[in-house]
Amino acid sequence: MSFLSQDTFAPLSSQDDLELALLLCCARTHRDATTVAQIHQLVHQPIRWENLIPLAEWHSVLPLVYQTLNTVCPEKIPPEISKRLRQSFYAISLNNQLLIQTLLILLKQFEDAEIPVLAFKGPLLAISYYGDLNLRQFNDLDLLVARNDFERAQTLLREKNYQPYQVLGWQTAFAHSSSGVGIDLHRALTPPYFKFDLQFEELRSRLQSCSFDNQQIDCLSPIDMLLILCVSFCRDRHEQKSRLIQLCDIAQLIQAYPNLDWHQVLNQSRRFGILHMVLVTLALGQQLLQIPLPKMMQTQIQHNSAIESLLHPLATNLLKTNLQPQLLQFDSETFCLDHTFYLALRERWSDKIPYFLNYAALPVDHPQRIQLPKAFDHLYLIRRTIGPKTNLFRLKVLLHKVKLFLRLSPQDSIRFICALALFPCIEIALQHWNIAQIQGVLTRLCRPLSPASPVQVERTARLVEIAARQYSSRWANCLKRSLVLWYLLRCQGIASELRIGVRREQGEFQAHAWVECQGKILNDIPDVHQSFAAFDSTLMHKLSSD
């Protein structure tokens, strides 16, 4: 007998339905008579108990499964399975105790350092909504700080022997050098391409308090926490990390706050552009865990035409039976569907465009890139041009570069643009002609020589250096930088020399180029002659011509 909707879970076999149905029935702390009857019926079916435990571990609901089975039908659990469940439950309980004690210590350390911090998810969910620290499995701690305090918070964690192992810009993951306790330090709730602008100070203005071991801990308001849980659940789908425990958290929150202000939930969802995420997550939770939703929310779900199309891919991804997704080979068709899902998930174009550009501007061979016609392959080059470590959506950096450009004088602006244009031209020219030929062509385009101003010379060298930074080392190596600088100086009537030197290092010849003006080296260190033996200019011209 299957208790799952055939439409929503069509990809699952009937045998898979048995373990999943039992898992869903057990993943609830509030069990009515119907749920208890369903559990009794299911345990009389040919349940593959050896598959149920890894399935419960994968979805992080093993404590709930153990408690439910041990309460409702302990005699129906095979002894070996009962032993494994009990051992895993106690191991999770010990780990939870370690993490909550670590959290209390960290909160005190942040307070002493005068760094405002908010803890969310993990132990606070267990304390606030489950009423029992042992019933909610968690593996790390999540801390949120204001953007201005992010660097100070990272420094504090390093001082306390936490080492960063994953830096994502919007969050940094740390692990303690001895205990191994993991901490995700956030300065934003989501990455910039998955926009959700619920700010730190706004969260702090609505804080509530919960108690553990006679200590008061600040926790997020239930409405803020509900929005964060819904957004996190939808975002995790892209990384194949969505888990049943996330829906359990939402179910427990709603049951813990039966008088939740649902009008405020809808208003905030519309304000942040996450209405689809909230509605589809609640709809899935209602279908899987019988989350009690008020009539107004059910009406919103039924009247929103996008929810039905979003519900199926979300449910299919959540209830996949493969327990080791990291072993799955990449499927371009699946990821294309993921992108379509996320673009449909956002209501506002201002939220769709950053996501689209983030994945469209990945390298052409990147498995997660949005597949576009070949004409759009240059998007990645444009992204690299903006800056080697710059994300397209860090608009502040881009705007800063634009402001610096606008501060240039008209003459310097023209020289900078010319330098940018010359690098690819020099790259192409070097593939067909030697240096002497290129210098000969460029010389004919220049005006007669005239006395040079030292300030003008140094400013031109500086502009060429800045322009070169916008390209990779292949497009702007020392020879190309020097040719561009030499040409721009000649265009201003300034006499300069392109010098090339060589040296032998570890049995290999190495060459280097630089520019000199009136005996002064412009684009290299002053003592470059000590590292490279420079050719005589006449000899260099002869060698280049051969």
Side-chain angles (χ1 to χ4, degrees), residues 320-354:
K320 58 186 179 296
T321 55
N322 191 304
L323 302 181
Q324 294 179 298
Q326 66 272 19
L327 301 181
L328 290 174
Q329 293 185 351
F330 175 76
D331 184 345
S332 60
E333 182 180 353
T334 300
F335 269 76
C336 180
L337 291 174
D338 277 352
H339 293 312
T340 304
F341 170 81
Y342 275 103
L343 291 173
L345 198 62
R346 306 311 300 256
E347 302 105 67
R348 306 183 302 204
W349 280 104
S350 59
D351 297 329
K352 294 174 186 281
I353 291 174

Side-chain angles (χ1 to χ4, degrees), residues 123-243:
L124 294 188
L125 293 175
I127 297 169
S128 302
Y129 308 138
Y130 288 79
D132 187 341
L133 184 68
N134 299 321
L135 290 182
R136 209 296 188 173
Q137 182 177 346
F138 47 92
N139 301 312
D140 56 18
L141 301 173
D142 288 272
L143 301 177
L144 177 67
V145 296
R147 293 178 182 273
N148 295 337
D149 292 328
F150 191 65
E151 294 300 327
R152 287 204 301 146
Q154 291 188 97
T155 301
L156 175 63
L157 289 177
R158 291 190 183 97
E159 292 174 352
K160 304 303 179 183
N161 295 324
Y162 289 91
Q163 301 302 321
Y165 65 89
Q166 186 183 49
V167 180
L168 299 178
W170 61 285
Q171 73 168 32
T172 301
F174 290 83
H176 195 272
S177 56
S178 58
S179 68
V181 170
I183 295 176
D184 288 341
L185 181 67
H186 302 253
R187 64 176 175 183
L189 294 169
T190 57
Y193 58 84
F194 202 93
K195 190 176 178 182
F196 178 41
D197 288 334
L198 184 53
Q199 299 297 319
F200 178 80
E201 291 302 330
E202 185 175 353
L203 289 170
R204 287 191 72 197
S205 68
R206 296 190 289 264
L207 287 179
Q208 297 187 356
S209 181
C210 59
S211 177
F212 177 78
D213 197 20
N214 296 323
Q215 297 190 51
Q216 296 298 312
I217 306 174
D218 289 334
C219 57
L220 302 184
S221 72
I223 292 179
D224 288 336
M225 196 67 247
L226 177 62
L227 299 182
I228 291 172
L229 290 173
C230 291
V231 171
S232 297
F233 179 72
C234 291
R235 185 180 62 82
D236 283 347
R237 179 188 180 275
H238 183 67
E239 301 175 6
Q240 310 250 358
K241 295 194 304 183
S242 56
R243 300 288 187 268

Side-chain angles (χ1 to χ4, degrees), residues 261-361:
D261 187 347
W262 289 101
H263 289 284
Q264 184 68 4
V265 171
L266 289 174
N267 290 337
Q268 292 287 72
S269 299
R270 294 189 181 99
R271 172 191 165 199
F272 293 115
I274 58 171
L275 182 62
H276 286 173
M277 295 191 211
V278 172
L279 293 182
V280 74
T281 304
L282 292 176
L284 185 60
Q286 184 183 44
Q287 188 164 8
L288 296 181
L289 301 176
Q290 280 74 57
I291 294 178
L293 296 179
K295 185 66 176 178
M296 63 173 294
M297 295 304 293
Q298 296 183 37
T299 302
Q300 288 285 334
I301 292 170
Q302 293 169 0
H303 291 175
N304 193 313
S305 58
I307 300 305
E308 185 176 355
S309 60
L310 293 170
L311 189 59
H312 176 78
L314 195 64
T316 303
N317 179 268
L318 174 67
L319 297 180
K320 58 186 179 296
T321 55
N322 191 304
L323 302 181
Q324 294 179 298
Q326 66 272 19
L327 301 181
L328 290 174
Q329 293 185 351
F330 175 76
D331 184 345
S332 60
E333 182 180 353
T334 300
F335 269 76
C336 180
L337 291 174
D338 277 352
H339 293 312
T340 304
F341 170 81
Y342 275 103
L343 291 173
L345 198 62
R346 306 311 300 256
E347 302 105 67
R348 306 183 302 204
W349 280 104
S350 59
D351 297 329
K352 294 174 186 281
I353 291 174
Y355 178 89
F356 174 82
L357 290 178
N358 182 75
Y359 287 100

